Amino acid sequence: MGERAFLLEAAALDEVLPLHAALAASRPDGVVDLVPAARTVLVRVDPRVLAVSAARSWALAAATTTTAETDAATPRIDLDIAYDGADLADTARLLGVAVDELVRRHAEADWRVAFTGFAPGFGYLVSDDWPFDVPRLASPRTRVPAGSVGLAGVFSGAYPRDTPGGWRLIGTTAARLFDPDAASPALLAPGTRVRFRTVSPAAVALPSSSPVANGRPERQSATDEQVAVEDVGAEAAGRSIRVVESGLLTTVQDLGREGAGSVGVAVSGALDRGALRTANRLVGNPEGAAGLEVTMGGLRAVAGADHWVAVTGAWGTVRLDGREVDPYQAHAWPAGAELHLDWFAHGARGYVAVRGGLDARVALGSRATDLLAGLGPAAVRAGDVVGVRDDAAVPIPVAPPSAWGAPHDDELELELAPGPRADWFAPAALATLYDAVWTVSNDADRVGVRLDGPELTRLRTGELASEGMVPGALQVPPRGRPTILLADGPVTGGYPVIAVVTDESLDLVAQARPGTRIRFRHARPAG
């Protein structure tokens, strides 16, 4: 899975949890995440701390020590459920059983969370007592309400927040399934045993004054969980900036939240990490301080006090107090002066660093906005006030720390490492991947970039059992055209990954615009 991650295979679904437990029990420094899925465990590595080859050797040795977990060794959750789902009667009819029989079997089964994916806290539950294989809906819903309990394939699961989904809904729970402020954020973490406890629909009605459910506060709406930036942050008078216009999309980003993939949380963070690091160095901040990621330009913001600011990344006119200033330089930003990033002529994402770093709600150790999961602060909007911290690490450097220039967004050349499912594709497809010129489509955002080009023909048909994903993975859906997953992408997925964009090339993808041409080449083997 690229040069920073790899998959360990398990023979069957019921062997994944023991494998994950064995790896977790002896996890060395440098292994930043272990993500169980339907047949695999994804091992993510920081090669600055631990060589990937050493991590592979450790993982293969640890895998030989797996032992079956006893029920007494794993936590159990009793999850209140009202069997009032919109698809309950149709699902029972589809399976050829009475509604009461379907409810009884679901409630009496001993369930266990096999893995978490799709969304933070969304656990895929399996049970030896459950005999059914339930087809997904032919047309997925555009919105499934938070707390909905559903069935798909051999799995049951509960939606932690409002999301699209194709599972058949059989009930509702009031439990707060994901709480980023809790010591264990996912109520249904991998390995947890679950029993469903039947209650009346009134018991899961979720009024605003509901008491704690199942040891967690009542679940909140997605908008409650993703707090607006003006509701949090520095309280010091004037240490802030006020957003006048937010452009197409502006978010608060740092370097993301590693290590939470096992509970369904993506890395998130700045898509062009090098640009954010450079902006922070220019104003004397730690490289990981939070700044603004501005998509396609159009930002106007006013300083609430005297600040220093630097703009990097995408290329466009930058004005400060009405005067045009250079990017990739630190500039004094007086109180009351307006910073204006015009629409970008080159590249897609610019970065604004303010000396001291921006303040926002911390979720799982990061201030980054994750739009897909609804974690961290909400996207910045006109009128928002963003706090400025006092975390500057060093004086502002006298000279810029590196050479700079306009991003190349007409045609990019990206390095690819082999993907774990390249054998799902015909040899001609692998040749096409490297020979073709691909074009960035209009379907490009922080979750992923869909490419237009020739079809990559599969040798294997059908669905791939869900497995761990990483930023840079080239997923190929049935239509045969790849999507490059980015920082807000899901942590598990069911499309085969033919190749993975190397970490060094990933920042280039952040600056690709619709119409940008992309060529792939083989990554040089690691030395």
Side-chain angles (χ1 to χ4, degrees):
M1 187 65 80
E3 81 280 33
R4 291 174 176 258
F6 55 90
L7 291 172
L8 278 187
E9 303 268 356
L13 178 60
D14 60 4
E15 294 184 14
V16 171
L17 286 175
L19 174 59
H20 179 255
L23 294 172
S26 61
R27 176 172 166 174
D29 291 341
V31 172
V32 297
D33 215 347
L34 299 168
V35 184
R39 296 288 188 277
T40 59
V41 176
L42 174 71
V43 182
R44 296 194 64 183
V45 181
D46 183 348
R48 297 169 299 180
V49 179
L50 181 68
V52 175
S53 58
R56 286 184 185 275
S57 297
W58 157 77
L60 291 172
T64 65
T65 65
T66 59
T67 57
E69 291 182 290
T70 63
D71 285 347
T74 56
R76 171 174 151 171
I77 296 292
D78 290 324
L79 202 64
D80 288 350
I81 177 175
Y83 285 99
D84 59 356
D87 303 317
L88 179 61
D90 285 344
T91 303
R93 186 163 47 251
L94 182 69
L95 298 176
V97 299
V99 169
D100 289 348
E101 176 69 5
L102 180 62
V103 168
R104 182 186 66 80
R105 291 201 177 198
H106 189 264
E108 291 182 355
D110 289 313
W111 297 92
R112 186 184 294 264
V113 183
F115 60 96
T116 306
F118 171 64
F122 188 100
Y124 288 73
L125 279 62
V126 296
S127 174
D128 293 336
D129 306 323
W130 183 249
F132 303 115
D133 191 335
V134 181
R136 288 173 169 82
L137 295 174
S139 298
R141 292 178 170 90
T142 57
R143 176 183 174 273
V144 176
S148 297
V149 177
L151 301 171
V154 300
F155 301 107
S156 187
Y159 287 75
R161 63 189 300 264
D162 294 357
T163 54
W167 289 37
R168 294 181 182 271
L169 307 183
I170 63 168
T172 308
T173 181
R176 187 172 187 187
L177 300 166
F178 187 78
D179 180 0
D181 296 323
S184 300
L187 184 65
L188 305 181
T192 303
R193 295 179 298 130
V194 178
R195 286 293 298 268
F196 288 98
R197 185 168 56 197
T198 306
V199 298
S200 69
V204 294
L206 296 174
S208 60
S209 58
S210 293
V212 169
N214 294 308
R216 288 281 179 90
E218 63 177 48
R219 63 177 172 85
Q220 297 174 327
S221 69
T223 52
D224 288 334
E225 291 181 1
Q226 194 161 38
V227 179
V229 290
E230 71 267 25
D231 292 334
V232 295
E235 297 296 332
R239 289 195 57 82
S240 62
I241 61 174
R242 179 173 54 85
V243 176
V244 179
E245 294 179 5
S246 58
L248 184 66
L249 174 67
T250 297
T251 58
V252 175
Q253 299 295 342
D254 53 22
L255 294 180
R257 44 181 70 86
E258 291 275 11
S262 64
V263 293
V265 177
V267 175
S268 199
L271 293 191
D272 188 341
R273 298 155 298 172
L276 177 64
R277 288 186 174 109
T278 299
N280 275 320
R281 290 200 302 270
L282 284 165
V283 294
N285 288 342
E287 289 188 346
L292 295 180
E293 180 181 270
V294 183
T295 301
M296 303 305 292
L299 175 75
R300 292 179 182 270
V302 174
D306 290 343
H307 297 303
W308 283 85
V309 66
V311 178
T312 61
W315 204 258
T317 301
V318 179
R319 292 184 176 87
L320 186 57
D321 203 16
R323 296 178 297 103
E324 189 169 332
V325 296
D326 287 333
Y328 285 83
Q329 290 187 17
H331 299 281
W333 186 5
E338 181 183 84
L339 174 71
H340 177 209
L341 276 60
D342 208 342
W343 299 105
F344 300 143
H346 299 282
R349 293 174 176 88
Y351 293 85
V352 177
V354 180
R355 181 167 173 81
L358 298 185
D359 205 357
R361 181 178 187 267
V362 175
L364 299 177
S366 170
R367 293 182 170 84
T369 298
D370 183 337
L371 295 175
L372 181 66
L375 283 178
V380 174
R381 301 189 184 281
D384 285 352
V385 175
V386 185
V388 177
R389 299 178 60 80
D390 191 18
D391 294 341
V394 296
I396 293 173
V398 175
S402 61
W404 48 269
H408 299 289
D409 58 3
D410 293 331
E411 183 167 308
L412 301 176
E413 186 175 75
L414 306 178
E415 287 193 340
L416 295 182
R421 303 303 171 197
D423 59 350
W424 276 53
F425 298 88
L430 294 169
T432 298
L433 178 65
Y434 290 96
D435 292 342
V437 178
W438 301 88
T439 304
V440 174
S441 73
N442 289 325
D443 295 323
D445 55 22
R446 286 186 48 83
V447 175
V449 173
R450 189 169 295 170
L451 303 180
D452 287 332
E455 181 177 347
L456 300 176
T457 306
R458 285 193 196 180
L459 290 175
R460 302 188 191 184
T461 57
E463 291 189 11
L464 173 71
S466 290
E467 58 189 21
M469 294 290 146
V470 297
L474 262 72
Q475 278 194 328
V476 184
R479 69 186 182 91
R481 292 175 178 83
T483 294
I484 305 174
L485 295 184
L486 297 180
D488 283 2
V491 299
T492 62
Y495 295 138
V497 173
I498 190 172
V500 182
V501 176
T502 63
D503 196 63
E504 288 73 18
S505 291
L506 201 52
D507 283 358
L508 299 177
V509 182
Q511 300 300 349
R513 304 157 66 106
T516 296
R517 298 182 300 277
I518 290 179
R519 289 182 178 272
F520 295 118
R521 63 182 173 88
H522 294 276
R524 293 181 295 273

